[in-house]
Amino acid sequence: MQMELDKVHMKVAVLLKQVPDLAEELEVDESGKALDTEYIKFRLNEYDEHALEEAVCLKEAGQATEIVAFALDGEEVDKALFSAMAKGADKAVKLTGPEVEGSRQAAALFAETLGMDYDLIMTGVQSVDDRDGMMGPMLSSMLKVPCVSVVTRVEGKESSVTVHKEYFGGLMAAFDVQLPAVLGIQAARQTPRYAPVSKVRQIQQSAIIEEKSASGVSGSATSKVTTMAPPTKTGGAKILGSVDELMELLKKKGVA
Amino acid sequence: MGNVLVITEHMKGEFQDISFEMLGQARKLSTGGSCSALVYGSMKDRSSELGAADRVLCVGGSDDFNPETYASAALQIIQSEFPDLVLVGSTSMGIDLAPVLGVSLDLPIISYCSCIEISGDNFEFTSQLYSGKMDVKSTAPKAVAMVLAGSFSAEDGKSGGSASVENVTADFGVGRVQFKELIEPEAAEVDITQSDILVAVGRGIGGKDDIEVAQELAKNLNADLACSRPVVDAGWLPKSCQVGKSGLKVNPKVYIALGISGAPEHLEGMKDVSTIIAINTDKNAPIFDVAHYGMTGDLFDICEELEDSLS
């Protein structure tokens, strides 16, 4: 029964977001201000994968009792949520409602839905498209709870977590953070696990994704987008046509 | 155009370069207004380095960064100073501050800024989105902008006269976040900041087993192995090999980038290298913009052929 006594009763929400797969070629739509999303593939924000992994690690270490994965409705979101359950989330919730533009509105929607129901909210530190701010710290500010971002390690206690925040060059700082709190996760303690297709399929047949509708997004302050375009090429690289040319260059530079 | 406030960053008693980079740009953007720098803790004693500012606002507090206390203090200073533009680093510390300030003050937050100009009554920002694959321009009359390191000249922020140094008082929050300690990086087997030649691998390398191909190439070229962030996150190479924003800044004679797309975070650590050779399958990868030489094609075919030529 020792295990039971040591167990930390912590309810964790993990926020997941689909982002364009950058392996695909990105194109600007007719407005000239946004991505053309018609043909691009979406994938889970890689930092969110780390947030989920760290949450599952916490639960496995007996430092979290329940993990609920949340995502806004959108491209291939069901797949991401089923996969999150296959990896260890106890429940999955999809937020339906008004179309959300940008991470700030998304944060507002999550703030409304999550309220103070969770001890810990974990999400990826950033995403490739969060033009108007990072979700974690914005959400914490809306909920008026503390937040630490760029986190690489979480240890759960009864009413707080100890986290490692990464600076640069491998330098980190440790913080104690009182719960409830939000964490922006940079990297989990281990490589995010892979959910086998068979397991995802099994979950798909047995589990359901709960749907919650969020009422609205207030008109928060935002800048006005005027253009989106691939960066102007600044001369760039001299393209080598063959490995022989590459060899020649390496010799010239004294490398080979 | 108006008043610009820079939230400075420091570590171990030194201002970070980003502080000077932001200050230099703030100076240019504050024509007709005032350019101020907010400094924390004992960095007040180093205020003379911030002569490019009109005013240095010293808020006191601990020298150790704390997301809660630093944001709380900055918030109050902004509320009493009403700057039109607040510049915060697009850094580990900045990520804890800018979004909180923007939401609390109901100001737009502009992430990943590589350029800020004045456009009529507005500021015009360029944000590098999708890992540097798209530049998005946006405008706002007031904002909190997160500035990417290396976007502006640090020299501009180091020059200039002398600022008036003022003590300002602020509340440092309710203590829900406690700083415990700094954790130094583990000693590295190889110090890649000292390497002459680096072979750096990115996500395009595929998997841990494929790292061996790069390792072999590095060995044959008398080079050290380095990598970009995803490779470390995947556990394929140790943190001490990581080049970029949260890793190390390197300056070898030759930098060979294998399967590195060139996200802004990575470029931050290597774009000043005098010879950059990039090999990538994607001909549109941003790495080709900073590289001097490039080659497109399958990494393994190229590496294999190169090995043959070398032996």
Side-chain angles (χ1 to χ4, degrees):
Chain A
M1 289 313 283
Q2 188 61 32
M3 280 300 287
E4 206 42 42
L5 282 174
D6 284 349
K7 214 166 178 178
V8 177
H9 290 273
M10 183 156 69
K11 211 171 153 189
V12 182
V14 180
L15 312 187
L16 306 175
K17 179 180 176 185
Q18 293 289 96
V19 295
D21 187 342
L22 297 185
E24 309 272 307
E25 190 142 344
L26 302 182
E27 282 178 27
V28 180
D29 72 6
E30 278 175 9
S31 75
K33 296 176 188 178
L35 271 195
D36 187 344
T37 52
E38 195 171 355
Y39 299 110
I40 55 175
K41 247 171 59 188
F42 282 81
R43 55 163 289 175
L44 188 59
N45 173 23
E46 58 179 307
Y47 298 107
D48 294 350
E49 282 183 46
H50 283 273
L52 176 65
E53 178 62 34
E54 189 64 14
V56 175
C57 288
L58 275 177
K59 193 179 170 194
E60 286 171 348
Q63 296 173 355
T65 29
E66 190 186 7
I67 301 171
V68 185
F70 285 85
L72 297 181
D73 201 1
E75 296 279 348
E76 294 169 54
V77 155
D78 288 6
K79 201 175 109 192
L81 286 172
F82 280 125
S83 160
M85 282 192 272
K87 289 174 186 171
D90 299 289
K91 248 170 75 176
V93 181
K94 181 164 73 174
L95 298 195
T96 58
E99 180 107 359
V100 176
E101 216 175 285
S103 45
R104 189 159 179 167
Q105 288 192 352
L109 220 54
F110 279 120
E112 180 197 320
T113 312
L114 297 168
M116 300 302 269
D117 292 347
Y118 293 84
D119 301 303
L120 190 64
I121 300 172
M122 296 166 79
T123 191
V125 62
Q126 62 185 57
S127 70
V128 293
D129 60 354
D130 49 12
R131 186 188 66 82
D132 57 355
M134 290 75 200
M135 175 96 94
M138 288 194 293
L139 176 61
S140 81
S141 192
M142 292 167 187
L143 292 175
K144 305 205 183 323
V145 300
C147 176
V148 180
S149 283
V150 204
V151 165
T152 57
R153 184 68 195 247
V154 185
E155 202 188 321
K157 297 180 185 149
E158 202 49 60
S159 59
S160 68
V161 285
T162 301
V163 301
H164 288 179
K165 172 183 175 69
E166 194 175 80
Y167 290 138
F168 43 78
L171 183 67
M172 292 188 293
F175 292 97
D176 275 337
V177 190
Q178 228 175 70
L179 300 179
V182 179
L183 299 177
I185 304 293
Q186 169 86 42
R189 67 187 77 178
Q190 63 184 36
T191 310
R193 66 198 67 196
Y194 172 77
V197 179
S198 60
K199 195 165 178 197
V200 178
R201 205 169 290 150
Q202 186 196 329
I203 291 277
Q204 231 161 340
Q205 280 156 8
S206 58
I208 49 153
I209 293 173
E210 194 183 315
E211 288 194 23
K212 269 193 181 167
S213 70
S215 66
V217 181
S218 59
S220 60
T222 184
S223 62
K224 191 173 155 225
V225 173
T226 52
T227 60
M228 176 187 277
T232 346
K233 301 278 172 200
T234 48
K238 177 181 187 295
I239 298 298
L240 307 169
S242 67
V243 171
D244 288 345
E245 272 182 59
L246 178 58
M247 250 327 263
E248 216 169 289
L249 172 70
L250 292 175
K251 277 183 190 151
K252 205 175 89 189
K253 297 286 174 189
V255 177
Chain B
M1 182 175 110
N3 300 324
V4 184
L5 174 71
V6 172
I7 313 278
T8 64
E9 254 182 51
H10 66 269
M11 179 58 75
K12 298 179 181 172
E14 302 281 340
F15 286 116
Q16 299 295 114
D17 271 351
I18 183 75
S19 302
F20 298 109
E21 292 166 13
M22 292 192 289
L23 193 55
Q25 189 62 15
R27 173 82 270 161
K28 289 179 192 166
L29 293 169
S30 61
T31 47
S34 151
C35 168
S36 313
L38 179 62
V39 305
Y40 293 91
S42 65
M43 292 309 287
K44 180 189 174 186
D45 302 339
R46 306 285 291 265
S47 298
S48 58
E49 293 173 31
L50 306 175
D54 296 313
R55 300 164 66 208
V56 176
L57 309 174
C58 306
V59 74
S62 167
D63 283 350
D64 296 310
F65 176 78
N66 178 319
E68 183 187 32
T69 61
Y70 273 41
S72 167
L75 185 58
Q76 286 169 66
I77 301 308
I78 296 168
Q79 278 166 332
S80 60
E81 294 285 330
F82 293 112
D84 299 291
L85 180 63
V86 180
L87 298 184
V88 182
S90 184
T91 57
S92 178
M93 297 180 195
I95 285 185
D96 279 332
L97 303 179
V100 171
L101 297 177
V103 167
S104 306
L105 298 159
D106 200 27
L107 286 175
I109 301 153
I110 326 273
S111 319
Y112 315 117
C113 283
S114 59
C115 185
I116 306 172
E117 286 170 335
I118 293 170
S119 163
D121 292 335
N122 284 294
F123 293 104
E124 184 186 67
F125 307 91
T126 304
S127 298
Q128 293 189 349
L129 294 191
Y130 304 105
S131 276
K133 289 190 165 185
M134 286 290 170
D135 278 350
V136 174
K137 288 194 173 170
S138 66
T139 59
K142 281 176 174 261
V144 178
M146 303 179 70
V147 177
L148 287 171
S151 299
F152 304 110
S153 153
E155 290 313 309
D156 290 350
K158 285 178 181 167
S159 58
S162 61
S164 81
V165 179
E166 304 167 27
N167 287 321
V168 288
T169 52
D171 169 27
F172 279 91
V174 288
R176 294 176 301 183
V177 179
Q178 297 286 344
F179 169 80
K180 289 182 70 181
E181 57 176 337
L182 274 184
I183 303 164
E184 297 291 336
E186 282 169 34
E189 254 175 67
V190 179
D191 181 2
I192 57 168
T193 63
Q194 302 299 317
S195 303
D196 264 354
I197 306 161
L198 284 175
V199 170
V201 295
R203 194 198 306 271
I205 198 80
K208 187 163 188 171
D209 298 340
D210 305 322
I211 299 274
E212 280 172 26
V213 177
Q215 232 147 12
E216 192 62 29
L217 180 65
K219 206 175 102 193
N220 288 333
L221 294 174
N222 269 328
D224 294 319
L225 198 60
C227 65
S228 63
R229 164 112 232 168
V231 174
V232 174
D233 285 349
W236 299 338
L237 284 175
K239 185 84 196 164
S240 58
C241 289
Q242 189 193 326
V243 173
K245 179 171 166 172
S246 56
L248 295 160
K249 193 164 184 169
V250 296
N251 203 1
K253 292 193 187 87
V254 179
Y255 189 89
I256 305 172
L258 302 175
I260 291 178
S261 69
E265 291 84 359
H266 184 74
L267 302 185
E268 225 178 282
M270 46 65 78
K271 65 180 173 195
D272 297 330
V273 177
S274 59
T275 302
I276 300 169
I277 305 171
I279 303 174
N280 205 298
T281 45
D282 177 6
K283 65 179 193 317
N284 294 317
I287 189 80
F288 289 123
D289 291 335
V290 298
H292 306 90
Y293 302 92
M295 195 162 174
T296 56
D298 185 88
L299 273 184
F300 300 98
D301 293 349
I302 293 172
C303 285
E304 209 167 281
E305 213 179 311
L306 202 55
E307 295 281 351
D308 289 345
S309 310
L310 282 166
S311 56

